[in-house]
Amino acid sequence: MAERGGFGRGFGGRGDGEGGRGGRGRGGGRGDRRGGRRGNKSEEEKWVPVTKLGRLVKSGNITSLEQIYLHSLPVKEHQIVDALTKDLKDEVMKITPVQKQTRAGQRTRFKAFVVVGDGNGHVGLGVKCAKEVATAIRGAIILAKLSVIPVRRGYWGNKIGLPHTVPCKVTGKCGSVTVRMVPAPRGAGIVAARVPKKVLQFAGIEDVFTSSRGSTKTLGNFVKATFDCLMKTYGFLTPDFWMETRFSNSPYQQYTDLLSKQATKAILPPTEEIPPVEV
Amino acid sequence: MDSDLAKNLRSVTISPLEDEEEEEEELHIEEAEEDEEEDEEDSVQLGFVEKPKNPRLLLSHLFPSKAGGLPAWLDPVNLPPDNSRLCGFCGDPLQFLLQIYASIDGKESTFHRTLYVFMCPSMACLLRDQHEQWRHKEGSPSRSVKVFRCQLARSNPYYSSEPPKLDGTDRPLCTGVPLCCWCGTWKGGKLCGSCKKTRYCSEKHQAMHWKSGHKSECHKLIASDSPIVNNGNGVQDLTVFKNGLNNATWPEYEIVIEEESGFEWEKSEGNSSSTGTSAIVTKYNKTDEALQSVMDQFEADADKKSWASFEERISRAPEQVLRYCRDATAKPLWPLCSGRPSKTEIPPCRYCKGPLCYEFQIMPQLLYYFGVKNDSNSLDWGTIAVFTCLASCESSISYKEEFAWVQIYPATSIRPGRLTM
């Protein structure tokens, strides 16, 4: 018995066999952690947030993605985006195998390219490389969710119905590729090349004319230029933004002010205190 | 839709080279990248927090592993001294974070071994602590995160040599030193000057207790006869701490241990229907170089990659709060690429001058369970990795200090050349 250390359950090598089983005797609830995870609880209920923003979202203090965009807070957990958007669809655009030469032959991995969007003003793009196709797709979806951006839509002419096109002529540039998006009347559809068309569909833009320049063969720059263009839709100053902005506190600050206000009322005037005596 | 696709693609295979009629065309050869999936997985034990069924089961003679609440001191007499119980920056006494019971087989002196982690609840102190942990060489730096290790042999003056029976009759062999009345954590070395009965560990706690109720009770206590008993072994009146427990301690949980390998990776299980839709998978021999450039643009950078693998690893058991692996080759699971210590940044053991090795790490899910507020001065960390003496040395000091490395999320995300929101 001198070899085994400690009583009861503790961490360390010997704890694995008996620690787990012995612990189960105290409460069967822990067994559920292993067995009953399959599909019983939804993904969101199982999520334990790891970042401060995640905690704020889980507790319900933040209700929309727009609050996060307003303060440019970095989003690190994809469950945040899941919790704040409805109907986020994803589509795998392409999976290519890539290879690396090793002494023992080639090592093949798969690169997955996924675009996500809710068709209502939010798109994201993700790329992931992994040994298995399923892993790559899953990782790419997560990365795509993390890169979701808002897209502003407007009207071509009469403001009837919902916005359907870009609000104004915007242009985005990446590398040598410039992409120009021009508002189009209803029914025009998305007039663009194959891959940016997909991105624009996911963004929720129904009609747009595009014009591109430069080496659009480099699809990387091409898609990034359209992304840049979409980002600029919210950066363009139109007359409806002429009013003075009222700045609001970031979610991290909101609650501090409240607490400090209460504290100032409750502080009692300092009374003389009896000093402690050393023992 | 996603799961169907995943199932279909699971069985996609690459046709071998011999089947190609043409000779092998040029394939896209990647530059050598670090393959994060090549690490073998160590056998890691995970800790989960649970509400204790009975708080009495978390007392020190039952050798618990717990988080929050009051520490169950292993050695109830020689508690950590004055200067090591204070935060190095604000001077407040540190707050108890968690303790784990982790004995080491093979050595007699480490039959009982507990590691305690204390932390200052102020984020400002933690940010200053970041600077301190990088420069360790100049003596013992002032930190706001402290880890103590205490070990006892099987036969010791405090506990019996038989394992506890867990039937309610276990008792410690001796009572410990009296503890502070406000925090219940540290030794109550100072007495209130007027009633001479209430004990405190520091002036700050005396001031707080005075403001929240002791002022009115003090003169009543002078008259009464009974001393307030709050000792280090837990045979104490927990109602005494009602005031303190709300402010000075985090909610109490028990830490339950499970093996990480016991958690099946949910996504990798399941049936695989073998209708391979290889329409999306392009032909093996011809790569779309244009699309390649898209992928290069959007693929994550180093920080994001390490974050992604961190998320993937914890997704097997998202409620974990602690990862334990005391292996010579074990490495902690870092959420970020930046802010990792190299071998030279980890100082030697300050008692035996031997090397330290990684033992366990605390995950940020604990903050969620503690209900830490989310304003700008509330705690937030990426992970806290604890390095302990490899030899688990003995010394005359009962609670030996070990080294903790805190990795926090950067305040601003600097992503050069990336799409920023």
Side-chain angles (χ1 to χ4, degrees):
Chain A
M1 275 292 269
E3 290 83 30
R4 287 185 48 229
F7 296 145
R9 305 157 316 285
F11 286 90
R14 101 213 124 58
D16 41 6
E18 307 173 28
R21 310 265 148 52
R24 201 95 55 96
R26 283 253 308 259
R30 276 185 299 284
D32 295 345
R33 231 190 286 274
R34 295 192 199 178
R37 280 177 72 214
R38 298 161 209 180
N40 286 350
K41 289 193 256 178
S42 71
E43 280 287 329
E44 275 183 38
E45 283 170 33
K46 283 191 286 188
W47 168 46
V48 178
V50 168
T51 53
K52 197 185 264 190
L53 192 62
R55 273 175 257 137
L56 279 171
V57 168
K58 180 102 195 236
S59 62
N61 287 327
I62 295 187
T63 44
S64 78
L65 264 181
E66 271 59 44
Q67 286 172 310
I68 299 181
Y69 292 141
L70 187 60
H71 301 283
S72 305
L73 303 169
V75 175
K76 295 224 152 157
E77 299 183 81
H78 70 278
Q79 294 98 336
I80 295 176
V81 175
D82 270 333
L84 295 176
T85 58
K86 295 187 261 292
D87 317 321
L88 206 59
K89 281 187 274 294
D90 51 69
E91 174 160 340
V92 178
M93 305 225 21
K94 198 148 202 170
I95 302 179
T96 44
V98 289
Q99 289 193 328
K100 170 178 158 177
Q101 196 71 29
T102 60
R103 246 180 295 165
Q106 283 112 357
R107 186 201 65 184
T108 315
R109 301 207 298 178
F110 297 95
K111 250 181 174 169
F113 182 38
V114 169
V115 60
V116 303
D118 65 348
N120 198 14
H122 300 104
V123 250
L125 217 52
V127 180
K128 176 85 178 145
C129 188
K131 275 192 236 181
E132 290 169 28
V133 173
T135 321
I137 293 176
R138 210 179 336 125
I141 292 178
I142 291 177
L143 279 176
K145 286 186 185 160
L146 291 180
S147 70
V148 166
I149 56 169
V151 168
R152 186 174 185 208
R153 288 158 297 165
Y155 298 96
W156 173 79
N158 289 329
K159 293 189 175 37
I160 310 172
L162 290 173
H164 59 105
T165 184
V166 258
C168 53
K169 291 182 191 171
V170 279
T171 163
K173 184 170 159 66
C174 178
S176 75
V177 180
T178 65
V179 168
R180 184 183 195 218
M181 299 206 300
V182 168
R186 278 186 206 275
I190 302 175
V191 181
R194 195 174 43 95
V195 171
K197 181 170 182 168
K198 196 107 256 174
V199 173
L200 290 169
Q201 275 173 345
F202 272 94
I205 294 180
E206 296 164 14
D207 317 283
V208 68
F209 295 139
T210 59
S211 153
S212 56
R213 186 175 185 223
S215 171
T216 59
K217 203 168 69 162
T218 49
L219 262 182
N221 287 344
F222 195 12
V223 175
K224 198 159 182 210
T226 45
F227 235 68
D228 193 39
C229 207
L230 289 173
M231 277 212 307
K232 284 190 173 165
T233 56
Y234 260 115
F236 202 97
L237 184 67
T238 57
D240 17 332
F241 289 149
W242 283 354
M243 278 228 305
E244 294 260 350
T245 36
R246 239 180 274 146
F247 295 108
S248 63
N249 281 333
S250 104
Y252 299 153
Q253 302 283 352
Q254 266 174 1
Y255 303 98
T256 326
D257 283 349
L258 202 61
L259 293 169
S260 66
K261 245 185 266 178
Q262 288 176 353
T264 48
K265 285 191 197 139
I267 285 180
L268 307 161
T271 56
E272 85 285 2
E273 287 162 18
I274 302 178
V277 171
E278 270 294 338
V279 167
Chain B
M1 174 249 174
D2 177 41
S3 57
D4 286 345
L5 191 62
K7 273 189 246 168
N8 291 339
L9 286 167
R10 201 184 307 283
S11 59
V12 166
T13 51
I14 296 296
S15 53
L17 274 177
E18 292 82 52
D19 289 350
E20 304 291 341
E21 312 156 55
E22 303 134 13
E23 55 175 323
E24 194 183 320
E25 296 202 16
E26 196 187 306
L27 297 152
H28 178 75
I29 308 288
E30 290 176 356
E31 303 110 35
E33 1 176 307
E34 226 181 83
D35 192 2
E36 57 245 20
E37 295 155 67
E38 270 173 9
D39 300 317
E40 293 166 13
E41 300 199 344
D42 313 308
S43 58
V44 179
Q45 288 175 305
L46 302 179
F48 299 90
V49 284
E50 278 199 5
K51 273 284 172 209
K53 292 210 173 28
N54 180 358
R56 295 239 151 226
L57 288 168
L58 294 177
L59 299 175
S60 50
H61 53 271
L62 298 170
F63 311 111
S65 295
K66 56 187 285 204
L70 308 174
W73 295 110
L74 187 65
D75 178 346
V77 173
N78 310 314
L79 297 190
D82 254 354
N83 45 358
S84 50
R85 67 168 84 140
L86 300 177
C87 170
F89 307 104
C90 60
D92 282 346
L94 297 173
Q95 205 165 316
F96 174 63
L97 191 71
L98 55 81
Q99 72 180 72
I100 61 170
Y101 179 71
S103 49
I104 303 179
D105 300 340
K107 264 170 79 165
E108 263 199 50
S109 58
T110 61
F111 190 78
H112 295 295
R113 181 168 171 268
T114 313
L115 294 161
Y116 298 87
V117 183
F118 292 88
M119 207 162 163
C120 183
S122 149
M123 187 66 187
C125 292
L126 191 62
L127 289 171
R128 290 172 67 182
D129 180 75
Q130 282 282 293
H131 296 289
E132 287 297 322
Q133 79 184 11
W134 285 92
R135 13 175 237 117
H136 63 276
K137 297 246 178 356
E138 298 115 56
S140 45
S142 50
R143 302 285 309 267
S144 79
V145 180
K146 294 207 180 147
V147 182
F148 295 103
R149 163 172 59 94
C150 178
Q151 56 199 37
L152 294 173
R154 186 167 183 170
S155 55
N156 55 72
Y158 311 117
Y159 308 105
S160 90
S161 308
E162 295 303 313
K165 295 183 220 52
L166 293 176
D167 55 359
T169 61
D170 305 301
R171 289 275 176 276
L173 289 183
C174 76
T175 61
V177 292
L179 299 176
C180 170
C181 181
W182 178 254
C183 63
T185 310
W186 302 108
K187 179 170 159 191
K190 303 179 173 42
L191 279 178
C192 170
S194 65
C195 66
K196 301 255 191 313
K197 291 213 181 64
T198 347
R199 289 177 171 268
Y200 300 104
C201 63
S202 60
E203 280 197 25
K204 301 209 174 159
H205 285 183
Q206 192 213 14
M208 297 186 60
H209 194 206
W210 183 259
K211 265 185 268 179
S212 50
H214 188 63
K215 189 166 161 195
S216 40
E217 293 175 355
C218 196
H219 57 273
K220 280 187 237 161
L221 283 169
I222 299 175
S224 77
D225 285 334
S226 58
I228 298 180
V229 174
N230 48 350
N231 297 330
N233 60 353
V235 185
Q236 64 205 18
D237 187 10
L238 291 167
T239 57
V240 170
F241 294 112
K242 252 194 296 225
N243 297 332
L245 278 180
N246 294 335
N247 307 330
T249 57
W250 280 305
E252 188 176 52
Y253 293 97
E254 186 193 350
I255 296 183
V256 170
I257 309 161
E258 307 242 351
E259 285 282 326
E260 189 180 31
S261 46
F263 288 94
E264 294 163 40
W265 199 345
E266 203 178 79
K267 316 281 180 146
S268 63
E269 71 194 23
N271 40 358
S272 50
S273 61
S274 44
T275 55
T277 50
S278 35
I280 300 180
V281 181
T282 58
K283 273 280 177 266
Y284 181 62
N285 51 351
K286 176 173 168 237
T287 72
D288 190 348
E289 203 177 279
L291 205 54
Q292 201 58 49
S293 61
V294 191
M295 302 194 174
D296 291 337
Q297 293 275 3
F298 284 102
E299 202 162 4
D301 56 357
D303 244 357
K304 260 192 162 184
K305 272 196 188 141
S306 54
W307 177 258
S309 37
F310 169 79
E311 287 249 291
E312 210 177 306
R313 195 81 193 264
I314 67 172
S315 67
R316 296 189 210 175
E319 296 142 357
Q320 62 190 263
V321 292
L322 203 136
R323 297 177 68 86
Y324 184 95
C325 187
R326 195 172 193 269
D327 211 346
T329 56
K331 279 184 295 224
L333 185 69
W334 298 109
L336 296 168
C337 203
S338 52
R340 299 190 192 185
S342 58
K343 283 255 178 321
T344 52
E345 261 131 23
I346 302 174
C349 171
R350 65 171 77 181
Y351 304 100
C352 70
K353 304 293 173 232
L356 298 185
C357 82
Y358 159 70
E359 183 151 357
F360 68 97
Q361 71 181 111
I362 308 176
M363 310 299 278
Q365 285 92 330
L366 188 61
L367 290 165
Y368 171 70
Y369 286 114
F370 276 168
V372 168
K373 298 209 189 1
N374 294 309
D375 48 25
S376 45
N377 197 31
S378 51
L379 277 184
D380 188 28
W381 67 68
T383 189
I384 302 180
V386 175
F387 296 85
T388 57
C389 179
L390 187 58
S392 203
C393 58
E394 273 294 315
S395 102
S396 57
I397 307 171
S398 190
Y399 287 90
K400 302 171 251 302
E401 278 194 51
E402 302 283 9
F403 183 68
W405 183 275
V406 182
Q407 191 182 52
I408 59 177
Y409 300 122
T412 54
S413 71
I414 308 155
R415 298 190 275 172
R418 296 250 146 247
L419 298 175
T420 53
M421 289 195 222

